Every structure is written in structure tokens, then in C-alpha cells.
Amino acid sequence: MRVAIAGAGNVGRSIARELIANGHQILLIDRDPNAIKPESVPEAEWLLADACELASLEEAALDSCDVAIAATGDDKANLVHSLLAKTEFGVPRTVGRVNHPSNEWMFDDLWGVDVAVSTPRLMCALVEEAVTVGDLVRLFSFRGGHANLVEMTLPEGSPRVGTRIADLNLPGDAVLVTIIRDGAARAPERDAALEANDELLFVSDPSYEAELAQYLVPRNLRTADAG
């Protein structure tokens, strides 16, 4: 894929290196001359320009990109870049970095953001995921909050322990995407059974998260565990 990254700071450069290692073509854009450091990511294209101006994005041939990532430290700039990428250049997928949690509600499809990545939320979620068993933890949102990646570590007391994947009756449109067991991720095969302490990752509509949590671990069991 050809990927444009607005913001060539530490975050943008780190993303660029990872994507290049996976075989993608990267264009880094930044309006700050001090941020233009081609020697730091020599395999990438570099452009000194304002990623929020149409003329700059035309120069960058943004319409040829498969993904546009807004990774600056300025939420306003990330929103404007995402909106222009989606509406003016038809970029199929946009990813917006959220720097301040109070701005997270704006990073949705109205602003052209397909995936919002909130660093504060991710850090909180990872802390919760590390210490919480039996609670549903939201990791991040897709499509402006219309679908979330959520995780639960299945406690021993869950009625779903021993249930075949094929027999799960997940609420709404929830989809079990992977099971992490003994530190290794595995596909949820139909004939496999859930085990205690499995880390389950689901994609779910936010409106069904409470029902999903109740299905996996009924509230009375969570209350008993807490007590």
C-alpha cells in the first residue's frame, strides 16, 4: 500500500518504520523544516508541506494513497487532514491520532476519520486489561465509534468456560476474532472450547457491549468476585 503520514515527529517516524518493514510505501509530510529528517527513515518519501492545505496534498498525490494517517500532536490538524483526505482525495482509509481525550468525540466519520487512535485511552485500556479478569475492556474504536475492539479475560467462574465456539450465542453483531491462550493468539475454530483465563478479543457494536459482558460473565458473578 501507499501510505501518507501527516506529522514526521517521533510518532510519525515510528509508524513509518513499522509500515516500511511490512513492505509498504510511505510518504511523510510535515510543515516544520526541523522535522524533515530523511536520514532517520531513508526508505520513505519526504515532503516539506502543510498537510492541511489542498495544494500541498495535491503535490503529495494523496489521491494515489490507500491510507492516510494523521499523526501530528495537534488534534485540529489531524481532523482537518483526515477530512481533506477522505472528502477531497477519496482516500479509502483514514486513521486519526487523538492527543487529548476531550476531543475524541470529534474523531468520527463526519470528520472523515475511519479509525481513531487515542493514546490516553489505549494506555488506560492496556492497564485495565493487565489487571482485570471478568470485565469487558474497550481497546479502541473503528469507523468513528460504530464498532469497537473489546477484550475480556474469561474467569474460572464464567458459564462460558467449556463452551464450543460454534455454540456461542453472542449478542448483536459481536464477532469473536481471536483467542489468546498461554501467550499465543489462535483463530477461534468452531469445534474448539473456551478455557478459563482465555483472553477473548471481539469486534462489537458499542450498544451491545453491556449485553456481551453479561453473556460472558453474568453480573452476579462479577459482583461475587469483587466481594
Side-chain angles (χ1 to χ4, degrees):
M1 296 187 297
R2 185 167 190 259
V3 182
I5 302 175
N10 290 330
V11 173
R13 294 197 301 270
S14 296
I15 295 170
R17 293 188 191 100
E18 291 290 332
L19 292 174
I20 288 170
N22 289 329
H24 302 299
Q25 300 175 10
I26 304 302
L27 169 64
L28 281 159
I29 308 170
D30 206 296
R31 66 179 182 179
D32 182 1
N34 295 321
I36 304 299
K37 301 176 180 179
E39 71 283 357
S40 64
V41 191
E43 304 91 345
E45 301 174 57
W46 290 76
L47 179 63
L48 175 61
D50 188 337
C52 295
E53 291 186 356
L54 279 172
S56 298
L57 299 181
E58 288 173 355
E59 181 182 355
L62 203 69
D63 57 353
S64 69
C65 291
D66 302 288
V67 181
I69 301 174
T72 79
D74 184 338
D75 284 345
K76 294 189 296 295
N78 290 342
L79 285 170
V80 171
H81 177 75
S82 298
L83 183 63
L84 292 176
K86 180 65 70 174
T87 61
E88 298 294 330
F89 296 91
V91 177
R93 190 164 183 80
T94 59
V95 180
R97 172 189 175 189
V98 184
N99 296 280
H100 301 287
S102 61
N103 296 329
E104 189 172 355
W105 65 275
M106 293 187 290
F107 283 73
D108 59 15
D109 52 0
L110 294 177
W111 278 94
V113 179
D114 292 324
V115 179
V117 180
S118 172
T119 303
R121 178 182 290 277
L122 275 176
M123 292 182 70
C124 290
L126 290 172
V127 169
E128 290 179 355
E129 186 273 335
V131 301
T132 304
V133 174
D135 286 332
L136 200 67
V137 177
R138 182 181 299 176
L139 299 180
F140 61 86
S141 299
F142 301 97
R143 294 287 175 185
H146 298 300
N148 295 326
L149 180 68
V150 296
E151 183 270 355
M152 175 182 281
T153 299
L154 204 64
E156 293 184 2
S158 168
R160 306 306 155 209
V161 172
T163 303
R164 292 172 63 245
I165 304 298
D167 295 332
L168 290 174
N169 186 23
L170 300 176
D173 61 352
V175 177
L176 176 61
V177 293
T178 193
I179 300 171
I180 301 176
R181 183 180 297 163
D182 299 325
R186 60 188 67 198
E189 300 177 359
R190 289 179 54 82
D191 291 330
L194 298 182
E195 297 182 6
N197 298 313
D198 279 351
E199 292 183 49
L200 309 176
L201 272 71
F202 301 88
V203 173
S204 173
D205 186 292
S207 62
Y208 288 104
E209 287 181 11
E211 191 175 343
L212 176 61
Q214 175 69 11
Y215 176 74
L216 295 170
V217 184
R219 184 176 299 278
N220 64 310
L221 292 180
R222 296 201 296 273
T223 302
D225 288 343

